[in-house]
């Protein structure tokens, strides 16, 4: 049975916020139990989703009040991330659920997005609330590649996975990652700039990361795993934007999908990505490729 379990490492040290997070974890777990595991009727799922939404909005309001009370400098950026969940993500998930008559696929999508969002948001964004109070923040040096990698990738991923990650160097398609999976995320801005992020990870490590979130051994990837990983990637992108002095919603996610090996090679056949980074996690490896996608007008000019 899938278990979305609260762990002490999710605690940020503010009881009001931690209590709300524990409650949200338990609501998601109840939905998994009722609909994914026991296949209860649609009514049970409708009520669970209504409760999750209502409690999430209540929690956002309380957390935002706390940030204002302590004078948290990242309040506006953090609220923008809440607003995206309030006004875009949750309404769109609801629309898809009702349009599909609460199909199993859409329910799994809802649960995957919520679990990934909660896990990533707590560790990447909510930790920053108390981090600012307890220690002096070290500014990221944009001219120092290792400083950027440490701030944007290593620190948050180590928190999520609960283990040490080592940056190895430049990734090449010749590097061996067993049972590699290619997950592509495409982002865009209102000005038309587009960004491609591709995660290259062995299936075992992908399932291990999902298992750390759910507290269960996965033997194959499913929709819940895929959407959870996608939401964590989105949280990383939002934090990266803030670290670079940009708005957290500057790059909006267009799509996320798995590629096969040939599709991955085809993308970079003409030119290598701007950033191509290889990491080691215990006995496994993974890579992140980041590249600007040329605009259509520049290709035709």
């Amino acid at each position: 049975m899938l278990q979305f379990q609260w762990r002490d490492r999710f605690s940020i040290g503010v009881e009001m916020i931690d209590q709300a997070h524990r409650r949200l974890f338990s609501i998601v777990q109840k939905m998994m139990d009722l609909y994914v595991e026991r296949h209860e009727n649609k009514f049970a799922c409708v009520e669970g989703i209504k409760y999750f939404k209502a409690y999430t909005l209540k929690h956002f309001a309380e957390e935002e009040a706390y940030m204002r009370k302590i004078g948290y400098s990242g309040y506006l950026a953090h609220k923008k991330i809440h607003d995206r969940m309030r006004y875009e993500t949750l309404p769109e998930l609801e629309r898809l659920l009702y349009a599909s008559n609460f199909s199993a696929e859409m329910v799994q999508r809802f649960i995957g997005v919520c679990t990934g969002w909660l896990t990533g948001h707590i560790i990447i964004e909510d930790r920053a609330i108390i981090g600012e109070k307890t220690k002096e923040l070290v500014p990221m040096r944009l001219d120092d590649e290792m400083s950027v990698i440490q701030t944007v990738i290593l620190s948050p991923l180590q928190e999520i996975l609960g283990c040490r990650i080592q940056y190895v160097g430049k990734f090449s398609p010749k590097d061996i990652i067993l049972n590699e999976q290619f997950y592509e995320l495409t982002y865009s801005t209102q000005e038309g700039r587009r960004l491609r992020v591709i995660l290259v990870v062995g299936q075992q490590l992908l399932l291990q990361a999902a298992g750390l979130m759910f507290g269960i051994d996965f033997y194959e990837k499913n929709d819940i795993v895929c959407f959870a990983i996608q939401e964590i990637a989105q949280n990383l992108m939002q934090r990266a934007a803030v670290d670079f002095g940009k708005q957290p919603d500057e790059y909006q996610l267009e799509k996320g999908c798995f590629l096969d090996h040939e599709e991955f090679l085809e993308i970079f056949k003409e030119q290598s990505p701007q950033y191509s980074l290889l990491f080691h996690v215990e006995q496994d490896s993974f890579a992140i490729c980041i590249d600007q996608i040329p605009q259509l007008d520049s290709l035709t000019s």
Side-chain angles (χ1 to χ4, degrees):
M1 177 174 146
L2 289 173
Q3 296 284 330
F4 186 47
Q5 297 176 343
W6 172 266
R7 291 171 178 77
D8 289 340
R9 66 190 181 90
F10 294 138
S11 174
I12 72 166
V14 179
E15 182 55 33
M16 174 194 70
I17 295 176
D18 288 338
Q19 184 177 3
H21 290 161
R22 284 193 292 268
R23 185 60 183 156
L24 287 168
F25 270 63
S26 70
I27 294 170
V28 173
Q29 176 57 49
K30 188 69 172 176
M31 291 169 57
M32 287 183 181
D33 183 28
L34 286 175
Y35 203 78
V36 178
E37 299 295 334
R38 289 164 49 184
H39 305 289
E40 293 284 336
N41 60 31
K42 184 176 78 172
F43 176 77
C45 191
V46 170
E47 292 304 303
I49 289 166
K50 282 182 180 177
Y51 188 36
F52 177 87
K53 180 181 178 181
Y55 198 88
T56 297
L57 299 183
K58 175 177 179 290
H59 165 57
F60 284 173
E62 293 173 346
E63 187 173 272
E64 288 163 11
Y66 176 79
M67 287 189 284
R68 291 194 300 270
K69 179 181 176 181
I70 66 171
Y72 175 49
S73 65
Y75 167 74
L76 290 177
H78 197 125
K79 185 178 184 299
K80 278 197 171 187
I81 294 171
H82 282 179
D83 286 345
R84 180 174 172 266
M85 188 68 169
R86 276 188 184 105
Y87 303 123
E88 297 178 29
T89 304
L90 282 174
E92 176 63 9
L93 288 171
E94 279 192 303
R95 185 190 69 78
L96 292 171
L97 282 165
Y98 280 98
S100 70
N101 196 29
F102 288 77
S103 68
E105 178 185 357
M106 285 301 112
V107 172
Q108 288 191 41
R109 177 173 185 156
F110 183 92
I111 292 172
V113 169
C114 292
T115 53
W117 194 91
L118 268 174
T119 305
H121 186 74
I122 289 170
I123 290 176
I124 297 168
E125 295 298 336
D126 289 344
R127 284 271 181 84
I129 299 172
I130 54 102
E132 186 175 75
K133 295 198 308 173
T134 57
K135 62 181 179 181
E136 182 180 354
L137 293 179
V138 178
M140 181 174 63
R141 292 176 50 198
L142 299 182
D143 61 342
D144 182 348
E145 183 181 62
M146 197 59 229
S147 174
V148 173
I149 292 169
Q150 181 69 40
T151 303
V152 176
I153 299 173
L154 288 183
S155 294
L157 278 182
Q158 285 178 163
E159 292 283 354
I160 291 170
L161 294 176
C163 59
R164 184 172 179 270
I165 299 174
Q166 179 186 1
Y167 171 58
V168 179
K170 187 176 178 63
F171 168 72
S172 163
K174 295 179 181 178
D175 290 313
I176 297 175
I177 297 178
L178 295 177
N179 298 316
E180 57 194 5
Q181 307 284 306
F182 302 91
Y183 194 66
E184 178 188 28
L185 294 152
T186 306
Y187 299 87
S188 63
T189 68
Q190 290 184 343
E191 293 78 22
R193 296 191 305 275
R194 301 178 74 219
L195 188 72
R196 176 191 290 118
V197 179
I198 299 180
L199 174 66
V200 186
V201 59
Q203 180 159 306
Q204 188 57 42
L205 182 58
L206 180 70
L207 298 179
Q208 177 187 337
L212 286 169
M213 287 190 290
F214 292 96
I216 189 174
D217 291 332
F218 282 96
Y219 298 100
E220 61 181 13
K221 65 178 186 281
N222 58 26
D223 286 342
I224 292 179
V225 171
C226 295
F227 284 112
I229 296 296
Q230 179 173 297
E231 280 303 305
I232 288 175
Q234 178 71 352
N235 273 283
L236 285 169
M237 285 293 297
Q238 290 168 337
R239 171 45 50 187
V242 173
D243 286 327
F244 280 107
K246 300 180 182 298
Q247 295 299 320
D249 57 353
E250 178 166 353
Y251 278 95
Q252 292 289 325
L253 180 66
E254 280 185 13
K255 68 171 185 175
C257 63
F258 279 93
L259 307 173
D260 60 33
H261 189 252
E262 288 71 25
E263 289 172 323
F264 172 74
L265 293 178
E266 183 66 25
I267 288 174
F268 299 120
K269 181 174 66 174
E270 305 267 334
Q271 182 176 324
S272 299
Q274 185 176 1
Y275 295 100
S276 192
L277 313 171
L278 180 64
F279 302 88
H280 283 172
V281 185
E282 296 176 346
Q283 304 303 313
D284 290 299
S285 302
F286 71 92
I288 297 177
C289 301
I290 305 172
D291 202 38
Q292 293 282 346
I293 302 175
Q295 297 185 42
L296 291 176
D297 54 358
S298 67
L299 292 176
T300 55
S301 59

